[in-house]
Amino acid sequence: MVGGVDLGEALIPIRNGSNSIDAAFILHQSALLDALIALFELEWQRALPLRAAPRPTAHSDEPDELTRELLGLLAGGLTDEAIARALGLGLRTVQRRIHAVMRDLNAVTRFQAGLEARERGWI
């Protein structure tokens, strides 16, 4: 895989299996570099965006206002404790609501939940 390319030079890191070695090949303008650029361009054209398939949820498509506020605070990077204070709820209530939203969005991580919520227009 071409590590960096500038149509005139390319840097190809040397790897040994999963281990990285502190060395690299530098390719200058040549037929090999042209071939690597052509391969990259071909693969780039064939590529598809990384997106999870839409998953149906058992709940309503639109979240309630409290859930929207919760998602906004999560997106702002607040901790569960700070969200609980901001919403005037208990910590366990906030944690249960976060887990429910993640389940509704079929997300394993908060990051995935944020991406899915954004995709659905919830935040």
Side-chain angles (χ1 to χ4, degrees):
M1 180 169 139
V2 177
V5 66
D6 178 7
L7 300 184
E9 294 182 331
L11 175 70
I12 303 176
I14 300 172
R15 298 196 183 274
N16 180 8
S18 63
N19 300 324
S20 180
I21 300 173
D22 292 331
F25 289 112
I26 297 176
L27 293 177
H28 297 281
Q29 194 65 34
S30 64
L32 178 57
L33 179 59
D34 293 341
L36 286 173
I37 292 170
L39 176 62
F40 174 84
E41 292 297 334
L42 179 66
E43 291 301 317
W44 186 264
Q45 290 173 3
R46 294 179 41 196
L48 298 173
L50 286 176
R51 296 182 67 153
R55 298 176 183 116
T57 62
H59 301 283
S60 168
D61 286 334
E62 288 296 317
D64 60 19
E65 189 57 35
L66 184 60
T67 301
R68 285 185 187 275
E69 288 181 50
L70 175 82
L71 287 166
L73 295 170
L74 278 171
L78 275 68
T79 64
D80 293 356
E81 293 84 4
I83 293 170
R85 283 192 303 274
L87 297 177
L89 299 173
L91 176 60
R92 289 292 302 141
T93 301
V94 166
Q95 290 171 337
R96 279 192 300 274
R97 288 192 68 101
I98 290 170
H99 288 290
V101 168
M102 289 175 64
R103 185 181 57 248
D104 290 347
L105 295 171
N106 204 14
V108 176
T109 67
R110 290 179 181 218
F111 183 76
Q112 286 176 318
L115 290 175
E116 184 62 30
R118 177 80 171 145
E119 179 79 18
R120 293 182 187 196
W122 290 7
I123 53 173

